[in-house]
């Protein structure tokens, strides 16, 4: 590569440094374009059009359809959709708290834990708080009919991001169809969880939730760093909510939005390429590749 832009009077070391800088700059630009934006096909709703407060109302503020929730030593806060869904696209633009956030979880997720306590399904986007010298971890997770029965089977895949999620709003979404679950960041697929059997896929209706709460026992480096309330309040900001799908009462003919331009539901080759790029560069944990896990409990691996 240096031969493309090195001139005769340039020192070889300078050429190598210039090459390194150009490569590094290219890598910092983010993933290749997925070529399709599922979110562009879905209209935004304000917080009050799609959600209500679930807990911590004194730590929740709605302003022009956007939502701010915060955690301090007295309480966190959470919200819940007005309806349960059996499939669909569920997303929001989020902006995270900078600085020391160890032990704090800021989330957007699907669950039916209130309807099926001890035996619920769940699909998670969770930001694991961190110390100022380390990046946030985005944890994706899927639970199927097992949480809370003493045999908690998580299917965690964790990522770092190609941007700083505290500097601006970015769009995070879950697309849940009868055949697969796709996690998206700014319309880039980062994880696809396919339905390989009824036993390993959530099929019961779920509500959409979001929350900020203290998970000091595990959130940051397996509980090594705890929430430090000298840094309170810890704030999560949400806007540009998008919900489009089939409610629990929709007819059987209802179909959720498609992840791809073909409308078939499967990702395009360009989308898969973008997803592979993210996983190659930013995936930091995959439950299927954890030698400490009992993989008889996760047959999809």
């Amino acid at each position: 590569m240096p031969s493309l832009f090195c001139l005769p009077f340039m020192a070889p070391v300078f050429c190598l440094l210039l090459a390194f800088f150009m490569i590094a700059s290219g890598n910092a630009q983010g993933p290749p374009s997925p070529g399709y934006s599922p979110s562009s096909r879905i209209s935004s709703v304000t917080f009050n059009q799609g959600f209500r407060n679930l807990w911590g109302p004194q730590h929740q503020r709605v302003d022009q359809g956007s939502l701010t929730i915060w955690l301090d030593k007295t309480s966190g806060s959470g919200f819940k959709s007005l309806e349960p869904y059996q499939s669909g696209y569920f997303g929001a633009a989020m902006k995270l708290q900078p600085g020391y956030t160890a032990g704090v979880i800021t989330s957007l997720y699907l669950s039916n834990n209130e309807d099926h306590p001890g035996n619920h399904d769940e699909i998670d986007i969770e930001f694991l708080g961190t110390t100022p010298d380390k990046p946030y971890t985005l944890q994706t997770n899927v639970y199927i009919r097992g949480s809370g029965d003493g045999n908690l089977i998580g299917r965690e895949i964790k990522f770092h991001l190609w941007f700083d999620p505290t500097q601006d709003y970015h769009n995070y979404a879950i697309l849940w169809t009868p055949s697969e679950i796709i996690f998206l960041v700014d319309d880039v697929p980062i994880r696809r969880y396919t339905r390989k059997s009824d036993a390993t896929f959530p099929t019961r209706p779920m509500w959409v939730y979001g929350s900020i709460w203290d998970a000091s026992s595990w959130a940051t480096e397996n509980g090594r760093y705890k929430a430090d309330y000298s840094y309170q309040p810890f704030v999560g900001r949400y806007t540009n909510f998008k919900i489009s799908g089939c409610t629990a009462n929709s007819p059987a003919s209802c179909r959720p939005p498609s992840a791809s331009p073909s409308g078939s539901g499967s990702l395009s080759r360009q989308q898969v390429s973008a997803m592979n790029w993210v996983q190659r560069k930013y995936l930091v944990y995959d439950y299927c590749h954890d030698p400490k896990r009992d993989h008889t409990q996760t047959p999809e691996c």
Side-chain angles (χ1 to χ4, degrees), residues 34 36-39 89-90 125 138 140 162 171-175 182-191 259 267 271:
Y36 180 68
S37 301
S39 67
Y89 177 100
F90 312 98
I125 290 176
L138 170 58
T140 63
W162 52 95
N171 293 302
Y172 307 95
I174 296 164
L175 181 55
I182 298 171
F183 297 86
L184 303 111
V185 176
D186 289 337
D187 282 310
V188 177
I190 63 169
R191 177 185 180 183
L267 295 176
Q271 287 175 306

Side-chain angles (χ1 to χ4, degrees), residues 28-259:
Q29 292 176 359
S33 170
Y36 180 68
S37 301
S39 67
S40 67
R41 305 298 181 95
I42 299 166
S43 299
S44 298
V45 298
T46 66
F47 175 78
N48 289 330
Q49 286 174 320
F51 299 91
R52 63 174 177 82
N53 173 262
L54 182 61
W55 59 283
Q58 73 280 12
H59 288 69
Q60 188 172 116
R61 182 177 66 249
V62 178
D63 182 23
Q64 295 183 340
S66 297
L67 173 73
T68 302
I69 56 177
W70 61 95
L71 166 71
D72 62 24
K73 62 184 178 181
T74 65
S75 177
S77 186
F79 57 93
K80 180 181 180 180
S81 62
L82 299 178
E83 294 185 274
Y85 294 83
Q86 56 187 348
S87 63
Y89 177 100
F90 312 98
M94 299 171 61
K95 185 178 180 182
L96 305 181
Q97 172 95 357
Y100 188 100
T101 56
V104 178
I105 298 288
T106 310
S107 67
L108 181 73
Y109 63 101
L110 306 176
S111 181
N112 49 34
N113 63 315
E114 293 179 277
D115 301 318
H116 305 284
N119 185 33
H120 74 278
D121 309 292
E122 192 167 308
I123 305 171
D124 294 333
I125 290 176
E126 297 175 305
F127 287 97
L128 312 185
T130 190
T131 54
D133 59 326
K134 295 179 181 177
Y136 266 93
T137 296
L138 170 58
Q139 174 169 282
T140 63
N141 207 349
V142 180
Y143 293 110
I144 300 100
R145 296 178 182 267
S147 308
D149 62 355
N151 187 28
L152 185 69
I153 303 172
R155 291 165 165 83
E156 302 92 345
I157 293 184
K158 303 178 185 180
F159 301 85
H160 290 154
L161 294 167
W162 52 95
F163 54 83
D164 181 349
T166 72
Q167 293 300 302
D168 204 351
Y169 284 93
H170 290 268
N171 293 302
Y172 307 95
I174 296 164
L175 181 55
W176 173 37
T177 76
S179 60
E180 63 186 358
I181 298 163
I182 298 171
F183 297 86
L184 303 111
V185 176
D186 289 337
D187 282 310
V188 177
I190 63 169
R191 177 185 180 183
R192 176 169 56 183
Y193 182 87
T194 58
R195 181 175 185 167
K196 296 184 177 179
S197 73
D198 290 350
T200 60
F201 197 83
T203 58
R204 298 176 297 179
M206 289 188 273
W207 304 78
V208 190
Y209 294 87
S211 62
I212 189 166
W213 57 290
D214 186 332
S216 289
S217 63
W218 64 270
T220 306
E221 298 185 32
N222 295 317
R224 179 182 178 189
Y225 297 99
K226 315 293 185 183
D228 182 344
Y229 287 100
S230 66
Y231 295 97
Q232 72 177 30
F234 302 102
V235 179
R237 294 179 171 86
Y238 300 73
T239 190
N240 197 28
F241 293 96
K242 297 200 173 194
I243 299 181
S244 178
C246 303
T247 68
N249 298 318
S250 293
S253 59
C254 182
R255 293 291 179 266
S258 172

